[in-house]
Amino acid sequence: MNLKSCSCCREFKPLAEFVHDKSNKTGRHHRCLQCERKRSAERLKNGKLAAVSKRYRATHPQKVKAHRAVNGAVKKGILKREPCLNCKRAVEPKTHHFHHDDDFKELDVKGFCLWCHFEYERLKNLYPDDQELFSFFMEMRAA
């Protein structure tokens, strides 16, 4: 069993106790899940989490407006959570993601499952706009 040391509590714990982190050379976050939960609760209590949210809302007002418009449309029944555009599987509400290609077109969205949305974003950053993004991706999943 592989063990890793938590930078906060200094205990050695199994790798399953650490979330994935590509930026770290070990591939795992430097704090264990338990310490990360304590840190999040402390940030929530002392107001630092609210400050970060406030700063995001101030720097990205159009994104926030678009997200609120989509959430409102889903609640009113204007937008429906349909199966993922890519893998065609039915998606649970918590893992259903709506993607905006343009934040100014608030209700012009694509519905993806969590995994396909992350892959869509990754491929969109790698390839030009006119390329079919999921062609290779779908062949890979079918194999």
Side-chain angles (χ1 to χ4, degrees):
M1 177 189 319
N2 291 336
L3 298 176
K4 179 174 170 58
S5 173
C6 174
S7 67
C8 188
C9 65
R10 304 280 187 221
E11 293 179 24
F12 282 90
K13 297 182 178 183
L15 286 178
E17 292 289 319
F18 298 86
V19 295
H20 291 276
D21 182 4
K22 290 181 184 178
S23 65
N24 195 328
K25 67 180 178 183
T26 63
R28 300 292 179 145
H29 198 274
H30 60 94
R31 281 187 294 271
C32 66
L33 288 170
Q34 198 173 27
C35 291
E36 191 60 34
R37 285 187 191 111
K38 286 179 190 174
R39 180 176 179 268
S40 294
E42 187 177 303
R43 290 178 74 208
L44 184 62
K45 190 168 57 173
N46 68 16
K48 286 190 178 183
L49 199 58
V52 169
S53 296
K54 186 177 180 179
R55 189 168 53 241
Y56 180 85
R57 288 191 306 271
T59 55
H60 305 305
Q62 191 57 43
K63 283 183 182 284
V64 172
K65 185 179 176 189
H67 286 226
R68 286 182 178 161
V70 167
N71 289 337
V74 168
K75 286 180 183 176
K76 291 176 186 173
I78 298 168
L79 276 178
K80 303 272 189 243
R81 287 188 169 105
E82 296 175 354
C84 176
L85 283 179
N86 181 41
C87 64
K88 309 295 186 225
R89 285 184 286 168
V91 184
E92 294 289 322
K94 284 187 175 182
T95 58
H96 192 279
H97 284 219
F98 287 106
H99 173 78
H100 286 96
D101 281 324
D102 182 4
D103 290 325
F104 289 97
K105 298 177 183 175
E106 296 169 356
L107 297 181
D108 183 20
V109 292
K110 298 173 183 172
F112 293 114
C113 66
L114 175 76
W115 200 83
C116 289
H117 188 213
F118 288 151
E119 188 65 11
Y120 181 83
E121 290 286 347
R122 187 182 73 79
L123 292 172
K124 195 171 127 198
N125 290 331
L126 290 175
Y127 300 107
D129 291 334
D130 58 341
Q131 190 168 355
E132 180 63 36
L133 291 180
F134 280 118
S135 58
F136 170 74
F137 176 60
M138 288 307 292
E139 292 169 13
M140 184 179 71
R141 283 193 97 181

